[in-house]
Amino acid sequence: MGTIKENVILNGILPLTDLKFKTGMPAWYRQLNKMLDWTPGEIIKWQTGELKKLIQTAYDHSRYYHELFDKIGLKPGDVKSMKDLEQIPPLTKAIIQERYDDILLDTRSAY
């Protein structure tokens, strides 16, 4: 990050944009720069951690996914790798049309 252009973006544009739009971009930019030096194993570990958080959030805040996971007998803690996602049935257009409001996250309360 030695160029003037990069410094202007990182120290000027991104922080100003973040103030206005609450993007979180400066933090993401720093994270991505750190990740450039990660080994494949470190990347997989990070991805798996993010996947676990995503699955837990879906279970806690989406009526559709909470009901689906309970129906198929899958608890968020059971998902330990990308391979475990194969247990979750695909989301189809018909399901989205039928259960749209239940799919959306309700961040006010857990189910």
Side-chain angles (χ1 to χ4, degrees):
M1 179 175 30
T3 70
I4 293 173
K5 181 179 179 181
E6 286 174 315
N7 283 325
V8 168
I9 291 170
L10 184 58
N11 299 312
I13 295 172
L14 287 179
L16 289 174
T17 303
D18 194 48
L19 280 174
K20 173 120 176 102
F21 299 107
K22 308 290 186 229
T23 63
M25 287 301 296
W28 272 106
Y29 185 84
R30 286 190 295 278
Q31 178 67 30
L32 289 173
N33 271 334
K34 288 180 192 174
M35 292 171 79
L36 291 173
D37 296 326
W38 285 4
T39 65
E42 290 170 318
I43 293 171
I44 290 170
K45 182 178 177 182
W46 179 81
Q47 288 175 333
T48 302
E50 293 299 304
L51 173 64
K52 288 177 181 182
K53 287 191 267 185
L54 179 65
I55 295 295
Q56 187 66 56
T57 298
Y59 185 79
D60 290 343
H61 299 287
S62 169
R63 183 177 309 278
Y64 170 77
Y65 281 106
H66 190 95
E67 291 172 3
L68 176 66
F69 290 178
D70 286 351
K71 181 180 175 182
I72 64 174
L74 180 69
K75 297 294 178 198
D78 297 338
V79 178
K80 307 230 185 285
S81 70
M82 301 290 184
K83 183 93 171 125
D84 295 329
L85 292 178
E86 293 174 5
Q87 299 174 61
I88 303 170
L91 185 63
T92 65
K93 182 178 178 180
I95 294 169
I96 293 170
Q97 290 172 331
E98 183 180 317
R99 303 276 318 263
Y100 179 77
D101 289 334
D102 292 336
I103 293 169
L104 296 178
L105 296 184
D106 177 3
T107 56
R108 291 169 288 170
S109 63
Y111 291 101

